[in-house]
Amino acid sequence: MIASFLARSSQSKTRVATKLASPITGLRFKSTGRTKKKLSKVKRIGFVGLGNMGLPMATNLFNGFKDKADFIIYDINQKTTSNFLKDHNTDPNNKDKVKVAKSPLEVAQEATVIVTMLPASQHVESVYFGKDGLFGALGENHLVMDASTIDQSMATRVAKALHEKGAKAIDAPVSGGTGGAQTGTLTFMVGSNTNADFELAKPYLEKMGKNIVYCGTNGNGQVAKICNNMLLGISMIATSETMNLGVRMGMDPKLLAGILNTSSGRCWSSEVYNPCPGVQENSAATRGYTGGFGMPLMAKDLRLAVNAAVDTKTTVMLGALAQQLYNQMAANKDYENLDFSAAYKWLSENSK
Amino acid sequence: MIASFLARSSQSKTRVATKLASPITGLRFKSTGRTKKKLSKVKRIGFVGLGNMGLPMATNLFNGFKDKADFIIYDINQKTTSNFLKDHNTDPNNKDKVKVAKSPLEVAQEATVIVTMLPASQHVESVYFGKDGLFGALGENHLVMDASTIDQSMATRVAKALHEKGAKAIDAPVSGGTGGAQTGTLTFMVGSNTNADFELAKPYLEKMGKNIVYCGTNGNGQVAKICNNMLLGISMIATSETMNLGVRMGMDPKLLAGILNTSSGRCWSSEVYNPCPGVQENSAATRGYTGGFGMPLMAKDLRLAVNAAVDTKTTVMLGALAQQLYNQMAANKDYENLDFSAAYKWLSENSK
Amino acid sequence: MIASFLARSSQSKTRVATKLASPITGLRFKSTGRTKKKLSKVKRIGFVGLGNMGLPMATNLFNGFKDKADFIIYDINQKTTSNFLKDHNTDPNNKDKVKVAKSPLEVAQEATVIVTMLPASQHVESVYFGKDGLFGALGENHLVMDASTIDQSMATRVAKALHEKGAKAIDAPVSGGTGGAQTGTLTFMVGSNTNADFELAKPYLEKMGKNIVYCGTNGNGQVAKICNNMLLGISMIATSETMNLGVRMGMDPKLLAGILNTSSGRCWSSEVYNPCPGVQENSAATRGYTGGFGMPLMAKDLRLAVNAAVDTKTTVMLGALAQQLYNQMAANKDYENLDFSAAYKWLSENSK
Amino acid sequence: MIASFLARSSQSKTRVATKLASPITGLRFKSTGRTKKKLSKVKRIGFVGLGNMGLPMATNLFNGFKDKADFIIYDINQKTTSNFLKDHNTDPNNKDKVKVAKSPLEVAQEATVIVTMLPASQHVESVYFGKDGLFGALGENHLVMDASTIDQSMATRVAKALHEKGAKAIDAPVSGGTGGAQTGTLTFMVGSNTNADFELAKPYLEKMGKNIVYCGTNGNGQVAKICNNMLLGISMIATSETMNLGVRMGMDPKLLAGILNTSSGRCWSSEVYNPCPGVQENSAATRGYTGGFGMPLMAKDLRLAVNAAVDTKTTVMLGALAQQLYNQMAANKDYENLDFSAAYKWLSENSK
C-alpha cells in the first residue's frame, strides 16, 4: 500500500472539519444551499490529463457520476484515452457515454464541469491559454477545477482569466500519491474566492478524495500544498539525520523513535513514516523504500517552494538545503526511484 | 507558564509506558521487586548543583523525601546553599535535617543517594574527579544520578568509573525547562546498564519529574536528549520558514497551521508550540517569546549534537545549519533572551 | 569609482587572449578576414533597452560608430529615448542620425546590427517574439547581440530562432556594472556557434567593453556569467565569515588579509575586494558599502545559477545557501541598497 | 609531487616579507641583532612527535643543524625513534649525536631548543602538562616551538604557562602537507608575543619551511591557520560546484577555468589547484586525487574553525556546511584517502 501524505484516517477528517469551521466562518462565507440545484443541470463532465494521477482520478469521478452525467476526456497520449473509452463506454443505451476530445477546446465546448490534472505550469498554460485551449469556449456555465501542482502565480492567473469569462474556478492540488488517487482517498487543498464555488466543487472532489480542505482565496490551494510539502521535506531529512545519529551512537532505533514520538522532536516523519528500516512494520523504509512519494516529486515541490520564497523575498535556508539534497538523490540512479524517506539510506550509506 | 518540552499531559505518560514496555522487555530487564527494601535504608540524600534548574529540583526532592531521609547539599554559590538551609532546615526535632557540605567529597561521605545537576561537561569532570570530588568517597552503597546535559563520552566515563567502585550510576538529563523543574513535571531520559538501577532511581526521579523514560545503557540518556533536541531545533526553524512563507504568500496563519497540523507537515513545533504569534493562545510566540527555552540553551544542545555527529562520522547538514542559526540569534542582543521559537520573528523581521 | 567585476587591468586582457587561444583553435575556428568588408555595409545600428546599463552602453556605441552609421533606438520609457535623441541627434547635415522606433519591429526593419540589453528573460521573450517584436523583420542581413543576463535556455532559444531566419546571433552578458558601462570597460562573455559571428560582433562590443571573452557556443556566454558570479557570490560570503572569525578571535584584519592573500585561502574577494572595512583603501567596504554590485543583482544571478543547477540535476549546496543569504539581505531595507560585500557587515552586526 | 598549500614560489615569499613589514613595525617590534649570539649557545635540540609530518621535519632540522648542535628526540612509537637514531647517529667522533629520550621530561632536561609536532590538543596537553611532561624541566633557557594544529585556547594556555616559567614560546602551525615537510618548503604561521622570540625561532623554522609568516601574538598562528583553511575548504567546494555546473551545462572545463581565473570568481582552488580532472596537468585532480591534503585533515581543520566560531559567537554558515561535507567524504571509504579536491568527484558522481 502506498502512503497518503495528508490523509490521516477517518478520525482526522472530523478534526479538519472542526478546526477549519471557524476560519471559514471568519471569512464570512455562507452556504447557500442552492448548489444541488445547479449540480443537476450538468450534462457532461470533462477531464483533461489522464497520466499516472489523472487516470485513476478520472476513473473514480466517472464511477461516481456515471448515472448522472456523460464524460469527455482529453490527453496528448491517445493510447490512454482510447483505453479509457474502451473500459468505460460500455452503456448499450448510450454510445456517447464517454467521448474522446480532439483538443481541450472541444472539452470546453461539450462539458460544463471540467477537471484538469497536469504535470507543471507550462502544461497548464498550454491547455488553458494555448491554441485550441479551454479558453476558446469557457463561459458562465462552467465550473473548472485544476488539480495540478503549479506555482501560485499561474494558479491565480488561470482563476482571474476564468472569472473574467464568468466561469467558476478553483485550484485544488492534491496529496496522497497514486495510491490515494486509486483508492479515492486524496486530500484536496482548495483555493476559492467564494464559498459558493467551493461548495459547488465539493461533490466532485469527494468522489476522488477524502479530505477537502479549504485554504483561502484562489491560489492558496497551491500555497498550502507547497508549504506543507516544504515542511514535510525538511522534517524527513531532519528525522533521518536524527535517527542515523542516534543509531551510530548506539541506540536501538525503535527505542529512539518511541522517545522522539512522545517528545518535542516528534513529527509526522518520525511518527507515521519513520525513515529507519524496521522501526515501523508497514513503512516505505521497511519495504526497501519502494512505492511512496518519489525523490523527483519532492524535488519538484521544493523547487516550487524555494522559487516562491525568492519571489516573495522570504528566507528559507533549510528549505533551500533540503531542495539540494532531494535534487542530489533524484539525480542519482540508485535513489531516483525510491521513496523520499530514503534520505535515511543515503545518509547512512554515505558514511560507510 | 513555561513549556514542558517533552511532557505531553498525563495521557502521553501512559503512552510512554505502553510504547516502551516492549523495548525494555526486549532487552531482558526484570523488575526484582526488591527495590523498596533498599530504599528504606537511605539515611541521607545528597544534591550537588543548585542553579536555576537544580534549586527547584532539589526542593521537590526534599519535599518528597523529607519524612524519610535527611539532606546534604553543595554548590559553589554559598548564598544559594545557605538560603536552602534557611528555608528547609525547619524541623525543631532535627537540627541536622539539611546540611551544607564544604565539598562534593563531603556529600559522598554523608549521603548514599546523590543527584548532580551541572551546567556542562567540565563541571561534571571537576565535581566527580577533581580535588575533593565525589570520587574520594564513593562505593558500593551509592546510587548516583547525573541530570546534567553533557556529551555521551563524559557520561559513560562517569558511569564506568562509578561501576568500578561498585556504585550504581545512571545518566538522566532532563527536558521541561525551569517551569518543569518548579512544577515537578520534568521528563528524565535515563541511561542505565541494568534495569535494577533504573528501578532504584525511579522513586527519586518521580519526585522531580512526570515522565521517566528508559533510553538504554549508560550514556544513552544523553544520546536521546541531544537527538530529540536536534530534531526539535531543526523542526522549529523549518516551521518558522514555512509559516513565514505562507503568510508572505497571503495565507491566514491560523488556517495554514490548521492545514499543516492535519497533514504530513505537522510536528510538535507546528502543533503544540507554533512560532507564529496569534496562532495559539498560550504559546511563547503569542506572549512575545518570553520565558520558554532560551536561544543559548538550544545553541548548546545543538553544539553537543553536531560534535557528537563529527565524532561518530555522521552527517547532519540540517543540524549544522540550525546550530549556526541558533548561535547567530544567541549572539544577537535582541534575541538572546527570547524563546527559541523567536526564529520566526528573526526570519520575518530580517525581511522588512 | 565602481568596481569592474571581471576586468583586471590591461595586463589581464593579454592573459585572456593567450589563455583562450588554444581552446578556440581547438574548436577549429578560423578567422576569415572578411569581417571588415561586411562591417562597411552597415547603415544603421539599433539598440533596444536603454536602462541603467543600456543607456551608457548605447552612448559609447554611438560615440564609437557615429561617423560610420546612423542609429535607431527603442525603450518602453519614452523619456529616455527622447533624451537620447536630444543629446545625440546633433548633426546638422543628418537630421535622421538618430531615430526613435515605435517598436522593436521597427528597429529590425531599419537596422542591420542590433544590440539588446534587457532586465530578464520575460523581457527578452517579449522584445524578440512578442507582438511588434524583432522577429517580424529579422533576416540574413542581421547581426543581433543580446547583452541581457538571462537563463541559458532562453538564450539558446533566441539564437536558434535567429539562425533559422539566417541571422547572426551572439549572447554577450556583461560584467562590470554601471561603472564599467559608463567607462566602456565592461567584460563581455560571448556565446557564439561560429568564430565568424564572434569576430563580426567584436568591433561593436569593443566600443562598450574592454575584455571580450569567448565562452563557446550560443548560450555559453550565459553559462560563464552565472558560473563566475555563483563562485564570486559564495567566495564573498566565505571571505566575510573568515575575516569576521579572525577579527573576533583577536587578529588584526590587515594582517589576516595579508596572510590569506599569500596563502591557499586567497580569492578575488579577499585580495581585490576585501569585505572588511579598512583593509583596502578603495574598497566598497571602506567607503561604507556604497556603489558597487548591489544585493538584488547578486541575488538574481544566484537564482539563475540555482535554477540552472536544478534543471541540469546538479548539486550546488553552497550556491543554494548563498542565494538564500543574498535574498535575505536584499529583502532587508538596511542592506538592499548596499554592495554585496556588505555580507561582512551583516555577519558582524548580527552578532552584537 | 604533493601540493604545498600556502607556499607560492620564491616570488610570493618576497611578497610576504613586503606585505607584512608594516604590521610588524606597527606593533613596535625591533630586531635587536643579538639573536645569533644566543643561538651559538645551543648545545642540544629536542624534537617531540615524529609522525608523518614530524619525521621529515626533524630530519630537515637535523641536517640543517648537525654541525652546530646535538639532538634528542621523543615519540611514543619506539620504532620510529630507533630508526631515526640508526639513520642519523653516524658521527664516529660523537656517539651521542642523537639521543632517544624516555619521556618529554628528558627532552626538556637535555635540550634548550625544542620543537613539538603533535596530532591534536589532547596530545599537546599530555606532552606539556602530563606526567613526565616537558613542564617538569622548562625554564629561562628554553625556546619552545609548537608546530601542532590545535585550538587557540590550548595554544595560549601553553604559551602562558611557558612564559610564567621564563621560557620563550611560539605557536607555529604549518601548511604544506607531508610533501612540504619532506622538501622543507612548509609555511609556518607564527604567533609570538614578542618580535625577539619570533626572530629567535626563525633560523630553526627556516630549515623546515620556506615561508615564515608573522601572525600576531601567541595563539594567532592557530587563528591564521584555521581561518585560511576554512576559506580554502569552502572555496574548494564552491569551485567544485561551479566547475560541475558549467560542465553539465555544456562548457569545456578548460575554457571555463580560464574565464573564472581572469574574472572575479577566481581563487586559489580554481587557479592553482583546480578540482576538475584535466584542467591542470599536475593537479591532484588530474592524477586521480592521490596524495595532497586528505579529507580527514580538512575535516579536522574545519572542526576547529566551527568550534572556534561557536566559542566566539561568530556565524559561519558556509563553514559549517563545508565541515559536514568534508566529514561525509572522510566517512566514506571511497573518498577518505583522497585529496580534498575530490569534492568535485563526489559532486559529479553523486549525480550519475
Side-chain angles (χ1 to χ4, degrees), chain B residues 55-93:
Chain B
L55 180 59
M57 288 167 67
T59 304
N60 285 327
L61 187 61
F62 176 85
N63 288 334
F65 276 91
K66 61 185 169 187
D67 299 334
K68 300 178 197 145
D70 297 336
F71 272 72
I72 183 164
I73 57 175
Y74 177 77
D75 195 280
I76 44 164
N77 183 339
Q78 297 184 359
K79 203 175 157 190
T80 295
T81 48
S82 60
N83 279 344
F84 191 93
L85 189 66
K86 216 184 311 167
D87 293 347
H88 299 293
N89 212 14
T90 54
D91 183 345
N93 302 321

Side-chain angles (χ1 to χ4, degrees), chain C residues 151-326:
Chain C
D151 53 84
Q152 185 191 25
S153 60
M154 178 60 76
T156 51
R157 182 181 153 202
V158 166
K160 198 172 161 231
L162 279 158
H163 291 151
E164 284 168 4
K165 293 241 178 184
K168 286 144 190 57
I170 65 158
D171 50 291
V174 303
S175 72
T178 52
Q182 280 155 17
T183 54
T185 55
L186 293 169
T187 292
F188 285 90
M189 281 156 282
V190 182
S192 172
N193 280 1
T194 69
N195 193 38
D197 294 355
F198 178 64
E199 293 293 332
L200 262 182
K202 241 180 170 176
Y204 301 95
L205 302 179
E206 281 170 350
K207 299 300 180 196
M208 301 179 278
K210 200 160 73 177
N211 295 315
I212 318 298
V213 185
Y214 172 76
C215 300
T217 54
N218 281 108
N220 281 359
Q222 302 296 344
V223 177
K225 172 149 188 197
I226 65 164
C227 282
N228 183 73
N229 281 15
M230 183 174 90
L231 186 46
L232 169 62
I234 300 171
S235 297
M236 183 55 81
I237 295 175
T239 304
S240 297
E241 289 186 355
T242 302
M243 290 297 302
N244 191 35
L245 177 59
V247 167
R248 291 174 77 96
M249 291 180 82
M251 276 202 78
D252 175 75
K254 275 192 181 182
L255 187 54
L256 177 56
I259 291 165
L260 296 174
N261 291 336
T262 51
S263 304
S264 51
R266 80 180 154 79
C267 57
W268 186 91
S269 297
S270 68
E271 209 173 353
V272 177
Y273 208 77
N274 198 292
C276 178
V279 166
Q280 285 161 344
E281 254 180 53
N282 299 313
S283 67
T286 300
R287 66 172 181 263
Y289 303 104
T290 55
F293 189 59
M295 293 293 180
L297 293 171
M298 182 50 92
K300 179 205 164 187
D301 286 356
L302 276 166
R303 180 182 193 168
L304 288 172
V306 173
N307 279 345
V310 174
D311 285 339
T312 55
K313 298 191 172 186
T314 308
T315 305
V316 290
M317 278 185 266
L318 296 184
L321 188 50
Q323 184 200 11
Q324 290 298 314
L325 295 171
Y326 287 111

Side-chain angles (χ1 to χ4, degrees), chain A residues 68-125:
Chain A
K68 299 177 197 146
D70 296 338
F71 272 70
I72 182 164
I73 58 176
Y74 176 77
D75 195 280
I76 44 164
N77 183 339
Q78 296 185 358
K79 200 173 160 193
T80 296
T81 48
S82 60
N83 279 345
F84 191 93
L85 189 66
K86 215 184 311 168
D87 292 347
H88 300 292
N89 212 14
T90 53
D91 184 344
N93 301 322
N94 182 358
K95 292 293 181 193
D96 199 32
K97 186 77 206 162
V98 177
K99 290 173 69 172
V100 175
K102 287 188 195 69
S103 66
L105 177 64
E106 195 183 340
V107 174
Q109 287 164 338
E110 302 245 346
T112 50
V113 168
I114 299 170
V115 176
T116 56
M117 185 61 180
L118 302 157
S121 288
Q122 66 265 34
H123 310 99
V124 170
E125 183 172 30

